[in-house]
Amino acid sequence: GGVGVVGAPVFSVWDRNIQLAVYSIGIYLPIAWYETNGNILQGWTPLVWGIACLHASGGILVALSVLYSSSITKTVAVCASLVLTTVMGKIFFEAPLNGPILLGCFVVVLAVFGYRDDCDVEDELGRLRATTLQQQQQQQGQLGQQQGQLGQRGQEWEQGLQQQQGQEQ
């Protein structure tokens, strides 16, 4: 829940997952019903159920990573998964693994390890932002103290002026 800047509702990751699931059910259930003549779950073994649950939990993990990760982290993860898929394709399905593909995999692996150093940069930026915020808060506190001192001096000046006026009368 909540309302966005422009007035559009803001949904949580769970709201979006349910919304997408409802759309998917609305699209695929009639197709599955037609294809199987109404016997949708025919042939579902415990292994198939396990794989379906594994895919569903993978979808939830993707949604959570989108929610809690930076775009750079997600990009690195996608690149690393492509390399893993390429290697597994070669091992299990004898997919091609020639020079250009190996070069691309090598560059991606270097980028993944290179990004690890960027995490230190992000941590340092976070510390700098926190320090800057603390400095701003301290400056605001000092300004408040100075304003309080000026207000006190103004009251003292007014009291002195009133005393002078009282003495002149």
Side-chain angles (χ1 to χ4, degrees):
V3 177
V5 176
V6 183
V10 177
F11 295 105
S12 73
V13 68
W14 301 109
D15 294 335
R16 288 289 182 196
N17 275 339
I18 291 170
Q19 186 181 32
L20 290 171
V22 168
Y23 290 144
S24 297
I25 290 169
I27 293 170
Y28 292 113
L29 187 62
I31 295 170
W33 192 273
Y34 175 76
E35 292 286 327
T36 61
N37 293 325
N39 197 0
I40 294 175
L41 300 178
Q42 178 183 5
W44 278 60
T45 64
L47 176 64
V48 174
W49 278 105
I51 291 171
C53 291
L54 185 66
H55 280 280
S57 62
I60 291 171
L61 288 175
V62 167
L64 290 174
S65 71
V66 167
L67 179 66
Y68 293 112
S69 297
S70 70
S71 61
I72 295 172
T73 305
K74 289 181 276 195
T75 303
V76 170
V78 167
C79 292
S81 69
L82 289 174
V83 169
L84 184 62
T85 302
T86 302
V87 171
M88 292 297 157
K90 175 64 177 171
I91 292 171
F92 293 112
F93 304 114
E94 298 179 11
L97 195 60
N98 55 23
I101 293 174
L102 282 174
L103 178 64
C105 289
F106 178 72
V107 169
V108 168
V109 169
L110 281 179
V112 168
F113 282 107
Y115 174 70
R116 193 176 61 203
D117 293 335
D118 289 345
C119 294
D120 295 335
V121 172
E122 286 185 21
D123 291 343
E124 184 63 27
L125 283 174
R127 281 192 289 273
L128 287 173
R129 287 185 188 116
T131 303
T132 303
L133 182 63
Q134 288 175 350
Q135 289 173 348
Q136 288 174 347
Q137 290 172 346
Q138 287 174 352
Q139 288 173 353
Q140 288 174 353
Q142 290 171 354
L143 283 175
Q145 288 175 352
Q146 290 172 353
Q147 288 173 347
Q149 291 171 354
L150 286 175
Q152 190 176 19
R153 288 182 189 158
Q155 288 175 353
E156 291 171 359
W157 183 77
E158 284 182 21
Q159 288 173 354
L161 187 59
Q162 288 173 357
Q163 286 176 357
Q164 282 181 353
Q165 289 175 351
Q167 290 172 356
E168 289 176 2
Q169 292 176 357

